[in-house]
Amino acid sequence: MKAAVWHGYKDVRIEEVEQPEVKPGCVKIKVDYAGICGTDRHEYVGPNFIPTQKPHRLTGRMAPLTIGHEFSGVIAELGEGVTGYKVGDRVTANGTLCCGKCPACKSGHYNICEKLGFVGVGDDGTFAEYVTFQAERLFHIPENVTQRQALLAEPLACGIHATRLVGDVAGKYVVVIGPGIIGLACFFAAKLAGAEKVLVAGIGNEREELVRRCGGEYLDTGKKPLEEYISESGRMADVVYECVGIQPTLNNALHIVCPAGKIMIMGVFEKPPVLDMNLLQEGERMLLTSQAHTDEIGAALDYISQGKINAEELITREVTLDTLVEDGFEELLRNPSKHIKIAIRIGM
Ligand SMILES: [Zn+2]
Ligand SMILES: [Zn+2]
C-alpha cells in the first residue's frame, strides 16, 4: 500500500509499504481522508518527537514510520474479539497510545499516560491507505457527517477537552490568542459551552470574517497590541487560551487575564519560555495545560452533525498522498496563515 513515511528533517517519502496486520482487539481501516495537524508540520521541520536515537518508550518503534493521526475511514477487517463494529462501518479514532497500567490510564485519563504515545509519532499513522487502531479508540461517524467533514473531529476535540479542563465558561469573557485550527477549536468549544463573549486575536485579517460569522469578535494584533484592545474594552479576560506557543503571546496572556482568571496553554513551545511568576501570583491567576483528549471526538462529531460547527469551511485545501509534500507541507511553510486545515484525499 501507499504511505507517507517520515525519514527525517524535511524528508517525507511516499512509499510502497506492507499493509498493517490486525492484532486482537484492533481493526484495520481503509483511510478515506486524513488531515495535516500542527504536530505533523512540527515533525516535518523539527524539532520532532518521532524517535531517531532510541526506540519509543511504549511501542519500541523508531523512524522511519508513517506519519499522521487525523483521519476518517471505513472498517476493512476486524481483529479477534472486537464487538460493536462491523466491516463497512464509517469511523474515526483517537490516536493516543498508552500503557493501560499506570494511575492515569487506570483512572481513564489515558491521554496523560506515563508512557504516552501517539500514532504517527510513536507508531505508524494515518497518512496511508490502511491503518490499524484499537477498537476501544474508535468513534462511529454520524450518518449526516461526510468522511471529509469527519477528519476535523480530532482537532476540534482538543478544544473541547481544554474547555472541559477550564471548567465553567458559561457567561465568561474569553480571549483566544492564535487563530489556527486549535485556536478556532477553542473558540467553538468556549462559544458552545456558553461563554458570553469570545474574542480571537491574530496577526492579519484572514480569519476575521469566519470568526465574526460564527458569533465571535476578531482582533488584528498586527494593527494594535492585544493589551491595548483589552484595556479599551474596559474588562480583563476571565479565560485566555494561548494557542501559539511563543514568548510574546504567553506574555500577552499574562497581561490580559483578570485576577483569579485562567490561562489555558495550547501552544507547543519550541523554546522554553520565561514566566513572570509574580504576575500570576499577585492575582491568584491560574495556568492550565491540556494534552490531546479522551472521549471528546464523540462530542466534536455531534457538534458537526448538529450543524453547530461547519467543518467544511475549516478545510482550506485538498491534496493527495502524491502531492502531500509539495502542496501540503511546503505550502504550510510558504503560506502559514492562509490555511486552517489541509485535507489529504486518500481512499475516496
Ligand atoms: Zn491533530
Ligand atoms: Zn499509562
Side-chain angles (χ1 to χ4, degrees), residues 35-40 69-70 118 154-155 158 182 341:
I36 305 179
C37 184
T39 57
D40 301 318
H69 59 272
E70 299 173 1
F118 228 73
E154 198 275 342
C158 295
I182 293 301
K341 180 59 64 189

Side-chain angles (χ1 to χ4, degrees), residues 7-305:
H7 285 263
Y9 176 79
K10 276 197 162 197
D11 185 6
V12 171
R13 303 178 203 167
I14 309 308
E15 292 176 345
E16 233 4 90
V17 300
E18 290 283 314
Q19 282 196 19
E21 266 179 44
V22 198
K23 297 188 187 112
C26 296
V27 300
K28 180 153 112 182
I29 301 163
K30 180 181 83 65
V31 179
D32 287 328
Y33 274 98
I36 305 179
C37 184
T39 57
D40 301 318
R41 193 191 60 89
H42 271 276
E43 292 306 313
Y44 186 65
V45 287
N48 56 279
F49 291 106
I50 296 175
T52 53
Q53 301 301 323
K54 56 175 194 227
H56 190 274
R57 59 191 171 182
L58 182 68
T59 63
R61 290 289 308 273
M62 279 175 74
L65 56 79
T66 301
I67 52 172
H69 59 272
E70 299 173 1
F71 83 105
S72 62
V74 175
I75 295 181
E77 196 181 329
L78 298 178
E80 212 184 295
V82 173
T83 56
Y85 292 93
K86 58 183 191 308
V87 170
D89 281 357
R90 297 191 303 127
V91 292
T92 183
N94 180 336
T96 304
L97 304 169
C98 65
C99 75
K101 295 175 198 139
C102 72
C105 280
K106 280 188 171 158
S107 66
H109 303 289
Y110 56 81
N111 61 314
I112 49 171
C113 169
E114 287 172 4
K115 292 190 173 174
L116 184 66
F118 228 73
V119 303
V121 179
D123 207 344
D124 287 322
T126 60
F127 294 1
E129 289 176 301
Y130 290 91
V131 66
T132 59
F133 271 92
Q134 277 180 289
E136 58 190 29
R137 295 280 178 275
L138 300 182
F139 296 84
H140 276 116
I141 297 172
E143 218 163 283
N144 67 342
V145 175
T146 67
Q147 298 296 80
R148 202 173 112 106
Q149 292 166 340
L151 76 90
L152 263 308
E154 198 275 342
L156 290 171
C158 295
I160 298 169
H161 182 74
T163 301
R164 286 180 179 171
L165 291 177
V166 168
D168 186 14
V169 298
K172 297 280 165 66
Y173 181 28
V174 176
V175 177
V176 176
I177 307 175
I181 181 64
I182 293 301
L184 293 173
C186 293
F187 161 67
F188 283 118
K191 197 97 194 73
L192 291 166
E196 182 196 321
K197 192 169 173 181
V198 188
L199 308 181
V200 178
I203 298 171
N205 58 6
E206 276 102 340
R207 296 288 101 82
E208 183 161 1
E209 204 228 300
L210 170 72
V211 170
R212 283 231 181 105
R213 195 160 11 94
C214 297
E217 272 179 50
Y218 185 85
L219 309 174
D220 181 352
T221 52
K223 287 188 185 150
K224 205 196 288 185
L226 181 55
E227 286 86 342
E228 252 176 67
Y229 280 113
I230 301 302
S231 73
E232 281 168 15
S233 81
R235 184 177 167 188
M236 292 180 92
D238 298 309
V239 178
V240 180
Y241 292 85
E242 196 290 328
C243 305
V244 183
I246 55 173
Q247 184 74 56
T249 49
L250 177 64
N251 295 348
N252 288 150
L254 281 165
H255 286 105
I256 65 169
V257 71
C258 70
K262 295 174 179 176
I263 299 171
M264 170 52 82
I265 301 292
M266 300 296 284
V268 176
F269 285 79
E270 287 180 5
K271 278 192 212 131
V274 174
L275 183 63
D276 185 344
M277 273 305 184
N278 292 338
L279 260 180
L280 274 182
Q281 205 168 22
E282 71 192 15
E284 294 185 345
R285 296 173 171 91
M286 284 169 267
L287 192 65
L288 307 172
T289 60
S290 180
Q291 168 62 39
H293 44 82
T294 52
D295 62 351
E296 287 89 354
I297 285 180
L301 288 168
D302 287 344
Y303 281 151
I304 298 170
S305 169

